[in-house]
Amino acid sequence: MIYFCALMKVYNFSAGPSILPKVVFEQAAQAIVDFKGKGLSILEISHRSEDFEGILQDARKRVKQLMQLGNEYEVLFLQGGATSQFMMAPYNLLPQSGTVGIVDTGTWSTKAIKEAALFGQVQVLASSEEQGYNHIPKKWEALEDLTYLHITSNNTIYGSQYHHIPEVSIPLVADMSSDIFSRPWDYSAYDLIYAGAQKNLGPAGATIVVVKKSLLGKTGRNIPTMLDYQKHIKKQSSLNTPPVFAVYVCWLTLQWIEEQGGLATLGKRNAAKATLLYDEIDRNACFKAHVELEDRSVMNATFTMLNSEKEQAFLELCAQHRINGIKGHRSVGGFRASMYNAMDLEGVEVLVEVMREFERMG
Ligand SMILES: *Cc1c(COP(=O)(O)O)cnc(C)c1O
């Protein structure tokens, strides 16, 4: 057994890598020292061992179950982060003569645009760039002759999120890195979903890809083995050594999600946290939300200070209260509070109390 000293609780609002359930950290730590009482560490067992293969296959199954998807979909645990998927998705889906429609909602969308342009045509259907990415564009150019549509479901940096699934008749691809499993959602409306694990699911090092098989093999292009979804599917996500430890921790988190009551419970919890924080941002005379009301992210709340000279003082007050990771991304400035699944209501209550104290200090 590993014993943890009762360190003072830190409230971690980091955007990613980010908070995970404490019990997952404890189970993961235990497995590093002794995996299942076998006298071996999870870090030294074979990825072809029965134990690990069981975990990998069960993790894939759990992802599919949480998403309520059928056998037309496959789940992969890959490496290279969501950033590699900006390239891998068009490599596998977009013929050279094809056009992908992308909605530009911030930094991660612009990266997806840049990479897709290496493989085919890109049509930027709408962009909120001119408004500092403070909303999700609702009016798009017509979706004519597009091979597929790509969206970023939650914009980790700017703090906006889709609260409705775009209704389209072409395949829908989404980067869900920062809101996967944050709410009950119709995942079957998508044809390809990808997410780096380190925002809401596990440590950096694993990337989840969920793909509808019928979409693949249509580009007429030769794809290098490691970038070919079909080859990964054929080898059940073990084409080469998978990121064993990262998959293991994701697997622990997937179980934790189920133990919490699944996506319904997490969705309610996340909504309550977000409501509490945004209500305070709107009420408090010192702060201002970056994103328009209807598009605010339940996962990453971005806000600035009316008097930016006081930003440092607020960060110091946060540090005194053991609030970590609240400094905003340089593209928005101000502050960002990431409230992923593992962040409990208490953490947000502490933050809100500190915001009130700051206002009283004047
Ligand atoms: C963090 C993030 C990425 C980049 O993920 P990596 O795993 O670092 O490549 C891409 N998209 C979104 C929405 C993100 O939040």
Side-chain angles (χ1 to χ4, degrees), residues 181-203:
F181 298 143
S182 63
R183 55 187 173 182
W185 203 242
D186 181 10
Y187 290 96
S188 71
Y190 300 82
D191 298 79
L192 171 69
I193 294 165
Y194 60 85
Q198 73 274 18
K199 309 282 166 58
N200 215 9
L201 207 57

Side-chain angles (χ1 to χ4, degrees), residues 80-84 86 108 152 154 156 175 177-178 196 198-199:
T83 304
S84 293
F86 297 152
W108 300 116
T152 312
N154 183 68
T156 327
D175 174 1
S177 292
S178 48
Q198 73 274 18
K199 309 282 166 58

Side-chain angles (χ1 to χ4, degrees), residues 58-70:
D58 192 55
R60 293 173 72 207
K61 199 174 93 193
R62 284 174 185 275
V63 168
K64 224 181 200 177
Q65 276 168 356
L66 279 172
M67 292 188 169
Q68 296 185 301
L69 298 176

Side-chain angles (χ1 to χ4, degrees), residues 40-225:
L40 291 170
S41 166
I42 182 76
L43 303 180
E44 64 182 329
I45 63 164
S46 168
H47 62 292
R48 306 277 178 208
S49 64
E50 213 172 285
D51 278 326
F52 181 70
E53 292 227 312
I55 286 166
L56 176 60
Q57 299 323 326
D58 192 55
R60 293 173 72 207
K61 199 174 93 193
R62 284 174 185 275
V63 168
K64 224 181 200 177
Q65 276 168 356
L66 279 172
M67 292 188 169
Q68 296 185 301
L69 298 176
N71 285 333
E72 64 275 31
Y73 288 86
E74 286 284 348
V75 178
L76 301 170
F77 281 85
L78 304 180
Q79 304 196 51
T83 304
S84 293
Q85 296 308 311
F86 297 152
M87 161 267 293
M88 231 168 130
Y91 214 150
N92 283 265
L93 304 185
L94 184 65
Q96 208 177 347
S97 59
T99 303
V100 54
I102 303 188
V103 183
D104 174 23
T105 50
T107 312
W108 300 116
S109 311
T110 56
K111 292 189 191 220
I113 291 167
K114 184 162 169 264
E115 296 298 289
L118 297 171
F119 299 93
Q121 278 58 248
V122 177
Q123 190 184 349
V124 178
L125 298 174
S127 172
S128 47
E129 184 184 4
E130 280 181 19
Q131 295 80 32
Y133 293 116
N134 69 350
H135 68 282
I136 302 284
K138 311 289 177 323
K139 286 212 178 91
W140 298 355
E141 284 179 35
L143 301 165
E144 273 166 40
D145 301 322
L146 295 181
T147 309
Y148 64 95
L149 169 68
H150 179 285
I151 63 166
T152 312
S153 62
N154 183 68
N155 296 281
T156 327
I157 291 177
Y158 290 92
S160 65
Q161 185 178 26
Y162 283 80
H163 294 297
H164 302 283
I165 300 172
E167 281 176 35
V168 289
S169 53
I170 53 173
L172 181 58
V173 173
D175 174 1
M176 288 195 193
S177 292
S178 48
D179 67 351
I180 188 169
F181 298 143
S182 63
R183 55 187 173 182
W185 203 242
D186 181 10
Y187 290 96
S188 71
Y190 300 82
D191 298 79
L192 171 69
I193 294 165
Y194 60 85
Q198 73 274 18
K199 309 282 166 58
N200 215 9
L201 207 57
T207 309
I208 290 189
V209 173
V210 179
V211 62
K212 205 184 237 177
K213 283 177 278 189
S214 59
L215 219 62
L216 302 174
K218 294 182 173 170
T219 61
R221 137 183 330 124
N222 286 322
I223 302 175
T225 304

